[in-house]
Amino acid sequence: MKENIKSYVILGVIILSIISVSLTHNYFNAPMEVEKIDDILLIQNNLEEQYLADLRVNNYRVDNPKVVLNPYEISPLTALIMFNTEEPKEVSIEIVGKDELTTIKHTFEKNTEHILPIYGLYPDYENIVIITINDISNEVIIKTEKLPADFVLPTNVIVDREKVSDELIFLTIAARGYNVAFDRNGDPRWYLTKSYSWDIKRLANGRIMFGSNRPIAPPYHTVGLVEMDLSGKIYREYVMPGGYHHDFFEMEDGNLLVASNNFHLGTVEDYIILIDRDTGSVIEEWDLNKVLPKEDGKAEMWVDYDWFHNNSVWYDDVNNAIILSGRHQDA
């Protein structure tokens, strides 16, 4: 009886092994469909070509301009206003706010083809944009949609109106949520529908930069950095071998000092690289494993593979030094 049971068990194991091998073979050899998604840079480039062609074919005028809401498909509280003038003209715009310091104004240089980026619209609102040429003004109404259901609004807004300016307050995310900007009244005036993480900084050229929305490794490392303007137009994405996390610093020459990783080391957040702004190539790199002792100054959250956990990077030009913040090293 025992021998029969043993035979059945062996036979069962053999059958299961055959099924397992068969399933594995079928899994790896079966055709798999992978969803293809166009790169956002390609999508935006095609959109721009359409806008420009439309402007040139239809010859819009300032009293009846072409308005495109969310022109780059990731920034719903922005728009493009497009029209032509017979002669080069300077154009001023005014995005009317709910008070003087929440009204946004800008003047554009002379041109005949006018593609005006409009930032700082209110959500679910009939926004008034005033366009002025040679002291003659025209009003454009831009109706925006409601905020997403999961959008988080301030619970309290406390303002010292004698000290605040007309600038917006920008907030970014670590993992989930929306990159957003609030005005001094706590009203959202800008946000992105895709998640671009970590520190958001204003670059010397006026654009903004933060982490890409494309992940490279858990829990939050991204492939690199993205440079865009407030309309959501992406100019460059810097993809790095070890990805990006937490922080970067724009050097005086425009190159980027970046908190990165070298995954081949088996550790994370202990690697710094210098990126060429024009080519995206790595100019120089610093391995903190070769600079600092791993065992000294352990913080409570210290683990072997994440022994330093760099949270920040800064360049001190006076001392020609890189300043870091190692959360797991009390340093």
Side-chain angles (χ1 to χ4, degrees):
M1 183 70 177
K2 289 183 179 179
E3 290 181 356
N4 289 337
I5 293 174
K6 185 176 180 181
S7 299
Y8 291 146
V9 170
I10 293 172
L11 181 61
V13 170
I14 292 172
I15 292 172
L16 288 173
S17 298
I18 293 171
I19 293 172
S20 176
V21 170
S22 176
L23 289 174
T24 303
H25 174 78
N26 291 334
Y27 176 80
F28 283 107
N29 288 278
M32 297 178 65
E33 290 189 7
V34 178
E35 183 183 1
K36 294 181 180 180
I37 301 174
D38 287 338
D39 184 81
I40 186 67
L41 287 165
L42 177 62
I43 293 171
Q44 293 187 350
N45 183 67
N46 291 338
L47 288 170
E48 279 199 332
E49 289 180 355
Q50 294 173 27
Y51 300 151
L52 189 58
D54 187 21
L55 175 63
R56 290 173 177 172
V57 169
N58 292 290
N59 198 26
Y60 299 103
R61 296 296 172 176
V62 67
D63 56 351
N64 187 28
K66 172 77 171 182
V67 179
V68 181
L69 185 63
N70 191 12
Y72 295 100
E73 299 189 344
I74 61 173
S75 186
L77 300 184
T78 69
L80 291 180
I81 294 179
M82 302 183 293
F83 58 89
N84 294 309
T85 53
E86 296 292 343
E87 299 176 355
K89 297 290 184 180
E90 184 180 85
V91 177
S92 295
I93 61 166
E94 182 176 333
I95 303 157
V96 179
K98 296 179 180 179
D99 55 47
E100 183 179 354
L101 286 182
T102 55
T103 295
I104 299 171
K105 301 178 181 179
H106 188 73
T107 299
F108 297 90
E109 295 179 356
K110 288 184 177 181
N111 210 332
T112 55
E113 287 185 339
H114 304 276
I115 304 178
L116 312 179
I118 306 300
Y119 312 141
L121 301 174
Y122 292 97
D124 193 22
Y125 194 76
E126 291 190 349
N127 294 268
I128 299 173
V129 180
I130 302 172
I131 306 172
T132 303
I133 302 176
N134 293 342
D135 297 326
I136 299 175
S137 297
N138 293 272
E139 282 191 4
V140 176
I141 305 297
I142 302 178
K143 178 66 173 72
T144 50
E145 296 181 357
K146 294 181 179 180
L147 294 170
D150 58 349
F151 195 96
V152 178
L153 292 168
T155 54
N156 289 287
V157 180
I158 302 171
V159 183
D160 186 340
R161 297 189 179 276
E162 294 182 359
K163 295 181 179 179
V164 295
S165 68
D166 60 350
E167 295 180 348
L168 299 177
I169 300 170
F170 285 80
L171 303 176
T172 189
I173 63 170
R176 297 184 303 274
Y178 297 92
N179 304 90
V180 63
F182 296 98
D183 65 19
R184 70 181 198 143
N185 297 326
D187 289 319
R189 304 290 296 276
W190 174 86
Y191 74 97
L192 298 175
T193 53
K194 291 185 179 293
S195 300
Y196 294 90
S197 59
W198 300 115
D199 195 19
I200 178 172
K201 290 181 179 176
R202 184 83 174 269
L203 301 173
N205 62 13
R207 297 170 190 159
I208 56 176
M209 180 172 281
F210 34 34
S212 169
N213 68 316
R214 300 193 294 147
I216 192 174
Y220 46 60
H221 302 104
T222 74
V223 298
L225 289 161
V226 167
E227 178 180 343
M228 71 168 64
D229 63 26
L230 293 186
S231 66
K233 177 183 175 180
I234 298 173
Y235 293 83
R236 290 181 178 181
E237 182 182 51
Y238 295 90
V239 177
M240 303 160 195
Y244 164 73
H245 64 88
H246 283 91
D247 197 17
F248 73 94
F249 182 89
E250 183 182 21
M251 305 289 282
E252 188 175 351
D253 59 5
N255 291 335
L256 302 170
L257 193 64
V258 181
S260 186
N261 306 283
N262 184 338
F263 296 120
H264 297 292
L265 299 174
T267 56
V268 294
E269 302 190 15
D270 55 3
Y271 215 76
I272 309 299
I273 58 176
L274 183 65
I275 294 292
D276 186 295
R277 186 69 169 277
D278 295 324
T279 66
S281 60
V282 177
I283 302 172
E284 200 165 348
E285 45 199 317
W286 294 267
D287 179 4
L288 299 187
N289 289 278
K290 298 179 180 179
V291 178
L292 299 172
K294 292 176 65 173
E295 302 289 332
D296 292 351
K298 289 183 180 180
E300 183 178 358
M301 298 178 69
W302 187 97
V303 289
D304 186 64
Y305 75 93
D306 190 9
W307 63 276
F308 190 75
H309 198 94
N310 183 40
N311 278 165
S312 182
V313 57
W314 189 268
Y315 177 65
D316 175 8
D317 58 348
V318 175
N319 298 296
N320 189 31
I322 297 173
I323 299 176
L324 309 172
S325 172
R327 191 183 76 175
H328 292 180
Q329 278 287 326
D330 287 337

